[in-house]
Each structure stands twice: as structure tokens, then as C-alpha cells.
Amino acid sequence: MQGRIWIAPLLGAILILIFVLLASIPSFNLPLFVHINISFYYSILSLIVATLLLLSIVLRFEENTLGVKRLAVIGAVSALSAASRLVIPIPNVKPCTFLIIATGYVFGAEEGIMVGVLTPAVSNMFLGQGPWTVWQMLLWALAGWSGDMLRKHYPNISIEAFAAYNFVWGFIFGTPLDFFTWISATNNFQVLPEYLLAGVPWNLADALGNLFFSLAIGKQTIWILEKYRRRFNIEFRD
């Protein structure tokens, strides 16, 4: 049982995510929380979720020195990914999705998921916290996990195919956020197509950004991450 204590913070993070997602839907009334201004607490809750997930990984690997090395990788790539959202001035053209997928591809699902969770949790402290933070955390966590799945099925993928995969993720990431924008504003299904269509140019910019960064620095980035993986003796888990 002691070896599974890491499950407790993981379950706590999942429960908070469910609560925040439900609270962000106007038509969903939580009887015990009707008088609470949930939006005021989004920044706090998102950081709590990120902390719980990080604690879960720390507890899981506390008996192994490899855990410290993996946390160092997570921290470094997360900082780079979060900073890129702040320093690159072009809207939606950021290397975040590319970096998160590359992390999952090289190191595995857990590292990819944590970088996906920490990227918006940290960067939105400067860009603005809100219910969208949790959606971004979930979607980028999924991107990190998908990088692991990509490695398992295509361990020798070409950089062109990797870039195409990242291009598609521009829409996989953006479309659910457009849906969130709709569900946060109205439950009128008649205007849902308008919200989704309005998001297409932004999602296309995101996809093209993913494509550009993958083709421009994808091979070098994967090579550097692979180098550190070998240096830390981190084995990719099938």
C-alpha cells in the first residue's frame, strides 16, 4: 500500500479537474457552490492540480535516483515551453505543442503529460488564469501522452511525418477550446458552428506554427532530448 501512495494526489488532481470543468458550464448548478465565485479561484486551483500531479510523480519515484533526474527534465522543458508562450509575439504561433509531444516521444508518457500540465499552469500566471487553463492542461497533457503512443507505434518516424502529426495537433488542441468558448458563453446549439468556424483561422495558425517548429528545429530538438535521456540512463518504456 505504501508503494501506491502516489495514487492519492493523482486522484485529488482528477477530482479538482472534474469540479472545475463542471463549474465552468453555466447550466450546471452545483448546489453546494452556488454562492462561490469559481472564476476567482481558477488560478489557485490550476496550480494545485499541477502541484498534485507533480507530487504524484515525486512519490512514485522517490525510492529511485532516476526520479530526480526525470523531474529535472520535466522542469527544464516545462520552463522552456512556458517561456516560449511569453516571448514569441505572434498569436497562436508557439512551439509548446511541438515541445510537449517531443518530450512524450523521447522520454515517455509521464514526462510528456507533466510538461503539458505545467506549461499553461505556469505561463498563465503571466498571460491570465481562467477556466481555459484547465482545458489547456488537459489537452496538452493528452498531447504529451500521444507523443509516447507515437514513439511506440513509429519509433523511427521521419521528421516530415512528425511535423505532419504536430500540424494535425493544432486542430486537435484548438477545436475543443473553441467548444469550451461556446459552452462558457451559451448552450445554444444553433450558434455552435459559428464558434467553431471563428476558431479555424487561429487553429490554422497554431497548426502552421507546429509545422514550422517541427521542420525547423524538430530533428535537433529530438536529438538533444535523446542525448539527455541517454545521459540520465532513462529507458523508454514500451
Side-chain angles (χ1 to χ4, degrees):
M1 182 63 183
Q2 185 177 0
R4 295 183 178 273
I5 193 173
W6 60 272
I7 296 177
L10 175 63
L11 291 177
I14 292 174
L15 289 175
I16 294 175
L17 283 172
I18 293 173
F19 166 72
V20 173
L21 289 175
L22 292 177
S24 67
I25 302 175
S27 62
F28 189 90
N29 296 318
L30 295 169
L32 298 178
F33 303 98
V34 291
H35 301 298
I36 295 179
N37 181 13
I38 296 297
S39 61
F40 178 76
Y41 298 100
Y42 278 130
S43 59
I44 299 174
L45 290 174
S46 63
L47 291 177
I48 290 175
V49 168
T51 302
L52 287 173
L53 289 174
L54 188 59
L55 177 61
S56 177
I57 288 183
V58 171
L59 290 174
R60 183 174 182 185
F61 298 103
E62 64 177 347
E63 298 179 357
N64 192 332
T65 57
L66 188 59
V68 177
K69 297 176 181 179
R70 296 175 69 178
L71 290 176
V73 172
I74 291 171
V77 182
S78 297
L80 178 61
S81 180
S84 70
R85 297 189 71 201
L86 306 177
V87 300
I88 298 179
I90 307 175
N92 282 47
V93 180
K94 318 288 183 180
C96 301
T97 303
F98 152 71
L99 286 172
I100 292 166
I101 292 176
T103 302
Y105 183 82
V106 173
F107 289 101
E110 287 165 339
E111 284 81 354
I113 289 171
M114 278 310 307
V115 173
V117 167
L118 289 173
T119 293
V122 174
S123 59
N124 283 359
M125 294 176 64
F126 303 93
L127 298 175
Q129 298 278 4
W132 53 84
T133 300
V134 176
W135 287 71
Q136 291 171 335
M137 291 168 73
L138 289 172
L139 290 166
W140 266 325
L142 181 61
W145 172 83
S146 77
D148 177 68
M149 294 298 103
L150 185 66
R151 174 67 171 256
K152 289 178 178 178
H153 291 89
Y154 303 99
N156 298 311
I157 192 171
S158 67
I159 197 62
E160 291 79 14
F162 184 77
Y165 183 78
N166 279 273
F167 176 86
V168 173
W169 253 98
F171 295 93
I172 296 176
F173 179 80
T175 303
L177 288 177
D178 298 332
F179 179 81
F180 153 73
T181 302
W182 167 78
I183 203 172
S184 299
T186 176
N187 289 325
N188 184 355
F189 280 95
Q190 293 182 344
V191 299
L192 176 58
E194 298 178 15
Y195 278 83
L196 296 180
L197 287 174
V200 169
W202 301 100
N203 298 338
L204 179 59
D206 195 353
L208 291 174
N210 294 342
L211 182 67
F212 168 77
F213 287 112
S214 298
L215 292 175
I217 59 174
K219 185 178 296 185
Q220 296 87 340
T221 300
I222 291 176
W223 180 83
I224 292 172
L225 293 177
E226 289 279 8
K227 180 180 178 180
Y228 277 96
R229 181 176 68 86
R230 290 191 297 269
R231 176 179 296 180
F232 289 164
N233 194 28
I234 298 176
E235 297 296 332
F236 184 84
R237 299 170 305 282
D238 292 328

